[in-house]
Amino acid sequence: MSSWGPMAAAAGSAGSAGSAGSAGSAGSAGSAGSSAPIVGLDGGVGFPGYSGLFPNPMLAHSIVLTRDLLLSGSASAGLTDIAPKATDFERPSTPDQCSIIAQRLQPNVRAVLAEGEVLQDLRVTWSPATETAQLSHSQTPLVALTRPIFDTFRKQTKEVLSYADLRGERVNEILAQVVPQSAYWSSITGMTPERHKYSLELLGVGLRCAMQIVMQFKHVLGVPRPTALSVLTQPVVLTPGYTAYPSGHATEAAFAAELLSMLFHQALHADKPFVADPKDDTLRLTTPRSQLHRLAYRVAENRVVAGLHYPIDSMAGFGLGIAMAHFFVSRCVTSVDTTTKIGSACFLKFDPKGADIQPRLDKPLDLWTQPTVASVGTGQAGAVVASLWRLALAEWKLL
């Protein structure tokens, strides 16, 4: 799924596009042979040829000739206009009607509409006085990231060089995690492309939204990669052509962990509150949420091992990803669930104040100055993304 986030684009080569096929959910489904081709639907004489995806002049010409034959003689004399009901042209208003319309859309169109609903009125602004970038929805703050001082990055470059000793044992993980980690998420949650297509689609929409936001933060904060501070860094993969802070991999991995956790909690444990802070789950390591967040830590750490990020990049990415996940779900629902408390956005503020901050397994948010449970309310849900959320929830309720 090469368009999920900046990780797929970061490789910037045909080789890494190939790895997206082998590591992504679409590629793994194809290699496993889980979906057999249907005779007459696939290929140049099926829907791909008919749609123009793979233009087939022979097919188009044959359809013209066939229609001429079908309408020859007196066949056309018996044709009558079919009058649609007036209700067929009414705008869908109920959730069920919106879900039906959303299901009928092409997936790529559905994704574009859903992303537009989520990103509407989101803005990243920069304060030179405090060197802080802030994400807001309309006038409501969601995330504030302060740029660490230069001495922090200088010290952490030494950490990056020490992490390089782990490259030999982790290089396969590093390469497999260049693209979104769909295979890893599937191994924890049991998601498959056939049974959870809407869950995967919802996740893809969310990751693309997170990518657009993290790229804006990177741009305004403008932190050079570790290679700019030491020629000894020598990354194991190509350094992406954009800045380091916050880590895009940490953002997307934390986003996926939190979104999927909220999705199955709402579907399977709607009678219990959802714990807003993942560090409160540290003693329950067998929960999917704990495992997903431990995976996010590993993914982010591997980017430091690869020589592409400072540890502090991961800290900022963790917080941004979790905050974006809660905001994303707030766009999927019309009100906060009174029992699970899912549906409320959060405000997170990260100001390292010169500290040489290191992420720690299971406790990624210890140094955030605002608690993750600080609600900033829920706005009007988007019709398409809300429909996608309901369709995804239904896939888990069927278990």
Side-chain angles (χ1 to χ4, degrees), residues 277-298 301 315 318 322 358-366:
D277 193 336
K279 69 174 181 284
D280 292 341
D281 275 345
T282 54
L283 299 179
R284 297 184 294 160
L285 301 183
T286 58
T287 63
R289 186 164 187 247
S290 175
Q291 289 295 296
L292 286 165
H293 277 284
R294 288 167 73 90
L295 171 63
Y297 175 93
R298 180 75 171 191
E301 186 179 65
M315 293 293 294
F318 289 145
I322 290 172
Q358 302 284 337
R360 288 185 288 155
L361 185 63
D362 295 323
K363 293 184 179 293
L365 297 178
D366 277 356

Side-chain angles (χ1 to χ4, degrees), residues 147-160:
R147 194 180 197 270
I149 62 175
F150 173 75
D151 192 57
T152 298
F153 297 113
R154 184 183 60 79
K155 291 177 180 178
Q156 292 210 343
T157 299
K158 296 179 181 179
E159 297 288 336
V160 174

Side-chain angles (χ1 to χ4, degrees), residues 126 131-133 143-149 152-153 156 213-226 242-251 308-320 349-355 357 368:
W126 170 248
E131 292 207 314
T132 298
V143 179
L145 301 181
T146 299
R147 194 180 197 270
I149 62 175
T152 298
F153 297 113
Q156 292 210 343
I213 297 303
V214 74
M215 284 300 177
Q216 292 184 57
F217 272 105
K218 285 175 176 284
H219 180 67
V220 297
L221 290 164
V223 174
R225 299 273 177 169
Y242 41 88
T243 51
Y245 178 84
S247 166
H249 271 73
T251 300
L308 302 173
H309 280 287
Y310 313 94
I312 201 169
D313 297 344
S314 299
M315 293 293 294
F318 289 145
L320 177 58
K349 181 180 179 182
F350 185 52
D351 184 357
K353 297 179 180 177
I357 296 171
W368 288 81

Side-chain angles (χ1 to χ4, degrees), residues 9-83:
S13 66
S16 56
S19 70
S22 61
S25 60
S28 59
S31 62
S34 59
S35 180
I38 301 174
V39 176
L41 295 183
D42 299 320
V45 294
F47 284 129
Y50 189 33
S51 69
L53 180 62
F54 300 107
N56 187 343
M58 180 191 73
L59 176 62
H61 187 246
S62 68
I63 290 176
V64 172
L65 293 180
T66 300
R67 180 179 183 277
D68 289 344
L69 174 65
L70 296 177
L71 298 183
S72 62
S74 59
S76 61
L79 293 179
T80 58
D81 292 330
I82 300 175

